[in-house]
Amino acid sequence: MRIFRALGSLTLGAILVFVAPSPSCADSWMLPTTTTYTSCAGHARITISPRDLKSQLGYFDDKVKNVDPAGQKKGGSPVASARLERLVDRRWQVVWEHQIANDVAPVSALVRDDGEYAVTFDDWHGTGYGPHAVIIYGAGGKTVRALALSDIVPADYIKALPHSVSSIQWRGDPRFSSNGQKVIIPVVIPSEDFVSDPATIDIAVDLLDGSVSPNDSGAWDAAQTTGRKVLAAQVAYEASAKAAFLAPLLGPKTNAERKWHDYLREAVGRLIGDDETPSTTVLRLPGADDYAVSETWVHDALTESYADKVALASLSEANFVSVLKKVMSKLPDRSLSKVTAYIAVSDQNWPEVVATMRRSGAKVVQLDPAKAIPQRPERIARRYGRDGA
């Protein structure tokens, strides 16, 4: 069911970006496949073969159930492996081939042109998490060093980076240094606003021992300062959001369409919980250029066959009552007998709303914007733990 109407696809996209990958949005991960990465000059290559999974769903289900190895395909390869080759006299010769450290597969890899070093980055379905953010393989495929993201940047810097459900957006595309002695990783500089192509700063990892250093220490100091500011803003926002979540809910202080959608969604969640989220519909102000379509939304919200729970609000209560009368006059008796309508309206107009809706058979529930709605204990526990901390 739709979460809300009337904000349009562009606004919806912006909202999803905002609430999703600052700390959490859904990720889409295709099953990993055998992939070959070739050096810049084409003289070496490394082929990564993933551990065989039965399906994405099987992997996710096993993770939830703590089954190890998660999602393993019966009869498939039980480990991730790599084969490094060099081009000698126009023929590929295997330098080394064996199991690698990643559980399923790395996200990407680099190989130096002489075949002496290969570097993998991150774990499939876990970018930025775990001990394999960077792994350097040297002679014979021996591990020089495995680095977690915390070995590359400070913990507070990591917190300031964009996060999703399973990933941290921490880097761009790595490359080898001009002398081939280091791998250069463009590390994302945190930002308070979502950007699809964030600014980065180059961090170097020495191939000989895995030591980490910035290419430009002054620029790195500036990036860390930015990270601290972004983290402080995140902490303040989260504290404000928590206070609002815990506080009794009243109607919006600003008579704005988006604010009413937010109010409806939160008010119904406090009344019945989050298991059955209704659509939310807001009738616009008469005289607005885009008003007419919002009357259609009110009609559709109440009459669409799948809509057993709907939430309605308006920027003008008096006009809403008039529109509701018009919609109800065209509906057969008892046609909404399976519908529960949560309607944001004050005590002054509530009796007329009830009378207008009576013939339809709908169950109507008042959301009086002037009456505070307490938060449900189970919602507090789900988000902040039993003690609400």
Side-chain angles (χ1 to χ4, degrees):
M1 183 177 292
R2 283 192 297 270
I3 294 177
F4 51 77
R5 306 167 194 268
L7 296 186
S9 58
L10 180 60
T11 306
L12 174 58
I15 292 168
L16 291 177
V17 164
F18 176 74
V19 284
S22 198
S24 70
C25 89
D27 289 323
S28 178
W29 289 86
M30 300 296 291
L31 281 177
T33 57
T34 297
T35 305
T36 297
Y37 303 89
T38 304
S39 65
C40 287
H43 297 147
R45 67 186 185 186
I46 186 169
T47 299
I48 308 291
S49 298
R51 175 166 69 84
D52 285 327
L53 303 180
K54 52 191 174 184
S55 65
Q56 293 119 311
L57 181 59
Y59 176 84
F60 304 145
D61 283 348
D62 283 355
K63 278 293 187 182
V64 171
K65 298 173 184 175
N66 293 316
V67 175
D68 190 31
Q72 179 61 40
K73 182 179 180 180
K74 187 176 181 179
S77 173
V79 298
S81 62
R83 181 179 69 253
L84 192 145
E85 302 167 282
R86 279 190 302 203
L87 190 62
V88 180
D89 295 330
R90 299 184 181 182
R91 300 186 66 177
W92 288 106
Q93 293 185 359
V94 176
V95 178
W96 57 263
E97 183 174 14
H98 56 66
Q99 179 181 349
I100 56 176
N102 302 91
D103 172 38
V104 177
V107 173
S108 62
L110 289 176
V111 59
R112 203 169 74 176
D113 203 47
D114 60 2
E116 290 296 317
Y117 288 97
V119 188
T120 63
F121 302 93
D122 296 305
D123 275 307
W124 179 83
H125 205 271
T127 299
Y129 290 103
H132 305 143
V134 178
I135 306 177
I136 303 169
Y137 295 96
K142 182 180 179 180
T143 300
V144 174
R145 188 182 180 190
L147 296 96
L149 183 53
S150 57
D151 295 318
I152 302 171
V153 298
D156 282 352
Y157 193 92
I158 295 172
K159 291 178 183 178
L161 289 168
H163 286 59
S164 66
V165 172
S166 64
S167 300
I168 302 171
Q169 184 187 1
W170 73 275
R171 63 174 176 84
D173 294 328
R175 65 189 186 278
F176 288 114
S177 61
S178 57
N179 63 7
Q181 299 303 305
K182 299 179 180 182
V183 61
I184 308 299
I185 307 173
V187 172
V188 169
I189 299 174
S191 171
E192 291 186 37
D193 301 314
F194 172 81
V195 286
S196 58
D197 186 21
T200 59
I201 180 169
D202 285 344
I203 300 294
V205 180
D206 197 297
L207 296 174
L208 186 63
D209 58 8
S211 58
V212 178
S213 60
N215 275 3
D216 183 332
S217 58
W220 175 229
D221 288 343
Q224 291 184 88
T225 298
T226 298
R228 286 189 288 270
K229 291 179 180 178
V230 170
L231 181 59
Q234 289 178 0
V235 170
Y237 173 81
E238 289 164 7
S240 176
K242 180 178 179 179
F245 184 80
L246 298 177
L249 178 71
L250 292 167
K253 294 179 180 179
T254 305
N255 190 34
E257 188 174 343
R258 168 76 179 280
K259 297 293 185 181
W260 279 107
H261 279 292
D262 292 343
Y263 170 77
L264 289 173
R265 193 163 52 251
E266 180 63 17
V268 176
R270 292 183 180 216
L271 291 180
I272 66 173
D274 297 317
D275 293 335
E276 297 181 80
T277 304
S279 65
T280 63
T281 301
V282 177
L283 182 66
R284 291 170 171 163
L285 281 173
D289 291 340
D290 48 6
Y291 167 75
V293 69
S294 68
E295 286 198 9
T296 303
W297 293 333
V298 173
H299 173 274
D300 291 349
L302 290 165
T303 59
E304 288 174 339
S305 59
Y306 60 76
D308 57 347
K309 291 181 175 63
V310 298
L312 304 168
S314 66
L315 302 185
S316 167
E317 277 195 20
N319 181 60
F320 176 76
V321 174
S322 298
V323 171
L324 196 60
K325 288 179 177 179
K326 183 164 53 175
V327 171
M328 291 299 105
S329 68
K330 299 176 182 179
L331 299 182
D333 289 357
R334 307 292 301 170
S335 60
L336 304 183
S337 59
K338 296 182 180 180
V339 174
T340 299
Y342 298 87
I343 301 177
V345 67
S346 64
D347 282 344
Q348 177 183 352
N349 291 302
W350 181 243
E352 195 167 3
V353 168
V354 172
T356 300
M357 295 287 291
R358 185 174 291 118
R359 189 173 58 83
S360 72
K363 177 183 178 181
V364 290
V365 179
Q366 182 187 16
L367 303 175
D368 186 345
K371 296 179 182 177
I373 306 173
Q375 187 56 270
R376 294 175 72 85
E378 61 267 31
R379 294 181 91 221
I380 297 174
R382 183 181 298 177
R383 184 173 296 191
Y384 297 111
R386 290 291 172 187
D387 59 358

